[in-house]
Amino acid sequence: EEEEEEDGVDESRFSNALQRLPQPWGAEPILKVCAGTDTSLVLLVNGDLWVAGDNCFGQLGLGQQKKKRVRAFTRVNGLLPSSGRNGKVRDVAAAHTHIVLLLEDGTVWKTSDGQFVQEDLGVLVF
């Protein structure tokens, strides 16, 4: 019989042990891994972005694929379609309800209702 806390949460489904996650990107080298609130992001050296976790605000940037939860890592296809570009991601950060991307061209983008939109920061030079 499974134990439950007073709040009704089934504690048996949580584990303190590290678990290896499936890596659908294969042997591609990873540049960065980061996490927001119940959101995980993997940025590959080639600029591909893979996301998993809570998507109730569209924060994963998967367009119209708004699902409450994306359980398996999913590649974000066609980044920034509203801009007409498919820019290479140089860096990424995650927050509670959005993701922020820095592209190679120095522009900064964030998720908004399932899509990436440009922040009004101009071009950042690094």
Side-chain angles (χ1 to χ4, degrees), residues 14 20 23 28 32 35 52 61-62 67 69 81-82 92 95-96 107 111 113 126:
F14 298 106
R20 183 169 185 192
Q23 298 178 355
E28 286 290 331
K32 184 174 185 177
L62 297 173
K67 298 178 183 175
R69 176 164 311 284
S82 61
V92 63
H96 178 63
T107 56
T111 52
D113 196 28
F126 292 89

Side-chain angles (χ1 to χ4, degrees), residues 11-80:
E11 294 294 325
S12 67
R13 65 187 181 109
F14 298 106
S15 172
N16 291 330
L18 288 175
Q19 299 175 13
R20 183 169 185 192
L21 298 173
Q23 298 178 355
W25 50 85
E28 286 290 331
I30 296 171
L31 177 64
K32 184 174 185 177
V33 174
C34 63
T37 305
D38 200 20
T39 303
S40 300
L41 311 174
V42 175
L43 176 59
L44 303 181
V45 170
N46 68 8
D48 284 354
L49 180 62
W50 292 76
V51 298
D54 187 9
N55 193 39
C56 62
F57 299 105
Q59 65 265 44
L60 296 180
L62 297 173
Q64 299 305 317
Q65 299 178 29
K66 279 191 181 178
K67 298 178 183 175
K68 186 170 182 172
R69 176 164 311 284
V70 177
R71 296 191 184 278
F73 275 103
T74 303
R75 183 176 181 266
V76 178
N77 292 314
L79 286 178
L80 319 175

